[in-house]
Amino acid sequence: MADCAPDVYRIGVLSVHGEKNDTMNQWLPTAEYLSTNIPNTTFEVIPLDYDEVTLAIANEDIEFFYVNPMVYVEMARLHGAGRIATFQPTWNNSSYTGLGGVIFTRSDRDDINSLQDLKGASFMAVSENSFGGFLVPMGELKNSGIDHKKDLGELTFGQTHDKVVLSVINGDVDAGSVRTGALEKMVLEGSIDIKDIKVLDQNEYVDYPLLVSTDLYPDWMFGKVASTPETISNKVSIALLSMPPDSNAAIALDSTGWSVPASYSPADNLMKDLRVSLYVDYGKVPPAQLLVQYWYILVLVIMLFVIVEVHSRLKLEKAKKARLEESNDLKDLFTDIMRHDLMNPVHVIKGFSDVLYSKETDIEKKESLKIIIEQTDHLIAMIGSASKLAKLESNTDVEFEVQDIGNILWMVADSFSLAFAEKDMKLDFRSCGEYPSHVNNIIEDVFSNLISNALKYSPRGSTVKIEVLDEGDSWKIMVTDEGDGIPDGIKPHVFERFKRADKKGIKGSGLGLAIAKRIVEIHNGSLGIEDNPSGSGSVFWVMLKKA
C-alpha cells in the first residue's frame, strides 16, 4: 500500500458458498454510497471467498473488509485488523441485534426432542468456516455435554444453508444447523413449510424476532487492515453510522444501516473453547514443558519427606499466619467501613450537584457547579482506588491459573478502541502465538492502567504500541507511547502512591500505578519504566513468569 492514501479504496467482502455475483449486487450500492458521501474517493467491492479474504487482509491488498466474527478475530489477533462498524440487520421492517445458530430436525422425528438426543445422530452443518451455521451451534452442543467430533454419528457439510435445511426435511440426515434468519428466509421464499421443522432447545430473547437455539453473538463486522490510515477510516465510520435506513445501500443489504462496533471477545472465547482456527493447539503442553512439569512433581514428592521432618516448624508458622490473617481481616473490614461511610455523602453531593447543574441557567454559577462535579468524580475515583490498594496490600491468598497473556491483552486493548478513535490515535498490537503464564484475573487491571495512561498522556494522532517479548523464563509486556516522556528524576517515584508527573487537565487518583505495582508483586513479577528508544515517550514494561 502506498504511503499516501489512494483515491480508490478496496472493500473485500466475504462471499459465502461461491455466490460472488449476488455479493457484488448487494454491495455495489454501499460502495456508491461511500463514494458519494466521502469527497474525492472511489470505493470498489471485491467479493472474496474465505481463503482469499484472509490472504488479502494479511497482505494488506485491500483497505477495508466485511467478514463474519470468526474471520475478524483471526485477522485482529494475527494481523492487527481493526473494527469500524457492526452490521445492523432488519426483519419485517424492524432492526434487531445479534447473530446465533438454529439446531433443528424434522417435525415428525419423535425420537429427537432435545440436544441430548443428538448423540449418535447424523448431522449436517453449513461449513467449517460458517460462524452462525457451524461454530455457534457446536458451542451450544458442547455446553450441553456433546462433543461434535466424538458424539455425533456423522458430521457433514452442505456448504449452503438451503441444502442443510432441505437435507434434514428430506430425511438425508437426522438433524442440522444454520445461522439465524435462514429458516425464515426460506419460508418467505416459499421453498419450505415451517411446520416441517422442529427447533431444538429453542431460546427466546426480548425484541429478537428469529428462531434461535444458542446464545447471541455480535453480527458481521466492517473493518480495516492495520495499515489503513485513521483519517479515511474515521470518515468511513461516520458515513456508515450515518447511513439512512431507507437508503438504497441499506435496503440492498437487508439492513437498517450500521451500529458502533461491538466487542468480539465472546466470539474469541468461543473459538478458544472449541479449539478452532488460530486456537487449534490452544492449551496443549509441548513435550519439553511436560518433562519439566514431571520433574517438578518428583521434586514435590521429595519435599513431602522434608515437610514431615519440620512439622513442628510448620505448626508454628501456621499459628503466625492465622494471627496475620486475622489482622488482615480487620484491616479489610476497616477499609470497607471507611469506603462505605465516605462514599455515601460523596454520592449525595454528586447527586445534588448534577441536579443543580442541569437546572442552573446562570453561566457563572453553572461553571462553579461543573468544578464541584469534576472534583467529586475525582474524589470517588480516589476512594475506590485507595480501597482497592488497601485490600491488595493485605491479600496474600490469590489463586492463579494458566492463561494466555496475549488473549488478556487483546481483550483489554479492544475495550479502548473507541477511546483511541476519538483521539485519532492508533493502537498497534499484533499477537504472535500464545504466552501462557500463571495469573489471576486482576492482572487485567495492570494492562488496563498502562494502556489508559498511554492514551491519556499521548498527543492526538500518535501511536501506542504493545509488545510481548520472550525473555527466557519470563514474558516481557511492553506498552510504548509517543507522549512527552517522564523525567529521570521522577521515574523512581511514579509507582508510589499519589505520585505522578504534573499533567494539568489529566484526571486520575494518583493510585493507578501503585495498584499496578502491587498486583505485579502478587504475581512475583516486576514493573518498570524507561524512555522510548524510538523518540519521545515512555515504555512501561511488566515481567511475568512463563507457565
Side-chain angles (χ1 to χ4, degrees), residues 321-507:
K321 182 179 179 182
R323 290 194 296 270
L324 179 60
E325 288 177 348
E326 182 179 357
S327 174
N328 287 336
D329 288 342
L330 289 174
K331 180 179 178 181
D332 289 344
L333 178 61
F334 178 76
T335 300
D336 289 339
I337 292 173
M338 287 298 295
R339 182 177 184 275
H340 178 269
D341 288 347
L342 285 174
M343 280 296 195
N344 279 344
V346 172
H347 279 299
V348 171
I349 294 172
K350 175 165 174 60
F352 278 110
S353 299
D354 288 339
V355 172
L356 291 173
Y357 182 82
S358 64
K359 295 182 177 180
E360 184 58 61
T361 57
D362 184 276
I363 296 178
E364 185 175 347
K365 292 181 180 179
K366 202 173 183 71
E367 191 63 29
S368 298
L369 286 169
K370 182 179 179 182
I371 294 174
I372 294 174
I373 292 172
E374 290 176 348
Q375 291 302 314
T376 305
D377 288 338
H378 178 73
L379 182 57
I380 291 172
M382 187 158 51
I383 294 172
S385 296
S387 176
K388 178 183 288 187
L389 182 59
K391 285 184 175 292
L392 287 172
E393 291 288 358
S394 63
N395 196 342
T396 57
D397 188 20
V398 176
E399 295 183 358
F400 301 90
E401 61 178 328
V402 177
Q403 297 190 55
D404 180 8
I405 294 298
N407 185 54
I408 298 174
L409 274 169
W410 186 80
M411 287 190 291
V412 173
D414 190 56
S415 68
F416 284 94
S417 57
L418 291 180
F420 274 86
E422 289 176 358
K423 287 190 68 173
D424 194 23
M425 292 174 59
K426 182 177 180 182
L427 182 59
D428 183 6
F429 173 46
R430 303 188 185 187
S431 176
C432 300
E434 299 174 11
Y435 313 98
S437 178
H438 289 282
V439 295
N440 182 278
N441 287 335
I442 58 174
I443 198 68
E444 294 179 13
D445 287 351
V446 177
F447 301 149
S448 179
N449 183 273
L450 298 186
I451 296 173
S452 175
N453 282 348
L455 174 65
K456 290 178 184 177
Y457 295 116
S458 296
R460 296 185 63 86
S462 61
T463 297
V464 173
K465 185 176 182 181
I466 302 175
E467 300 175 273
V468 183
L469 304 181
D470 190 334
E471 296 288 333
D473 63 348
S474 300
W475 301 116
K476 186 174 184 179
I477 301 96
M478 303 173 66
V479 179
T480 304
D481 63 63
E482 297 175 352
D484 295 332
I486 298 176
D488 292 339
I490 298 178
K491 285 189 180 73
H493 306 291
V494 294
F495 299 108
E496 298 176 7
R497 303 175 189 181
F498 305 109
K499 297 287 186 178
R500 68 177 181 188
D502 183 17
K503 295 287 184 179
K504 295 182 179 178
I506 302 296
K507 297 181 179 180

Side-chain angles (χ1 to χ4, degrees), residues 23-87:
T23 300
M24 180 66 78
N25 292 334
Q26 288 179 324
W27 273 84
L28 277 178
T30 297
E32 294 172 358
Y33 169 82
L34 292 174
S35 301
T36 301
N37 285 272
I38 304 177
N40 303 318
T41 64
T42 299
F43 287 81
E44 294 180 350
V45 176
I46 306 175
L48 302 168
D49 61 28
Y50 177 83
D51 292 333
E52 290 172 337
V53 76
T54 54
L55 185 63
I57 296 172
N59 294 337
E60 300 183 348
D61 295 330
I62 54 179
E63 287 75 43
F64 300 97
F65 57 83
Y66 176 70
V67 295
N68 69 30
M70 180 172 69
V71 178
Y72 168 69
V73 169
E74 288 177 336
M75 298 300 98
R77 291 297 306 271
L78 297 176
H79 304 293
R83 306 175 301 166
I84 289 183
T86 294
F87 184 68

Side-chain angles (χ1 to χ4, degrees), residues 143-246:
N143 291 338
S144 298
I146 299 175
D147 186 334
H148 68 275
K149 296 179 181 178
K150 300 177 181 178
D151 297 331
L152 296 177
E154 182 184 14
L155 176 62
T156 56
F157 297 100
Q159 301 306 320
T160 69
H161 291 83
D162 288 11
K163 183 175 180 180
V164 173
V165 176
L166 294 176
S167 294
V168 173
I169 292 178
N170 293 335
D172 299 329
V173 291
D174 296 323
S177 63
V178 293
R179 69 155 285 167
T180 46
L183 292 176
E184 288 84 353
K185 181 180 178 183
M186 294 182 71
V187 171
L188 193 64
E189 294 170 347
S191 55
I192 65 168
D193 187 339
I194 197 61
K195 294 180 181 179
D196 295 331
I197 295 293
K198 180 196 297 184
V199 177
L200 302 179
D201 288 23
Q202 182 174 345
N203 287 331
E204 293 185 3
Y205 299 96
V206 177
D207 297 329
Y208 195 76
L210 305 176
L211 295 170
V212 60
S213 304
T214 69
D215 292 337
L216 295 180
Y217 292 81
D219 218 301
W220 283 42
M221 159 60 57
F222 192 100
K224 67 182 185 69
V225 302
S227 60
T228 300
E230 291 293 336
T231 49
I232 186 63
S233 298
N234 292 338
K235 292 177 181 178
V236 169
S237 176
I238 293 172
L240 289 178
L241 296 178
S242 304
M243 179 183 289
D246 59 351

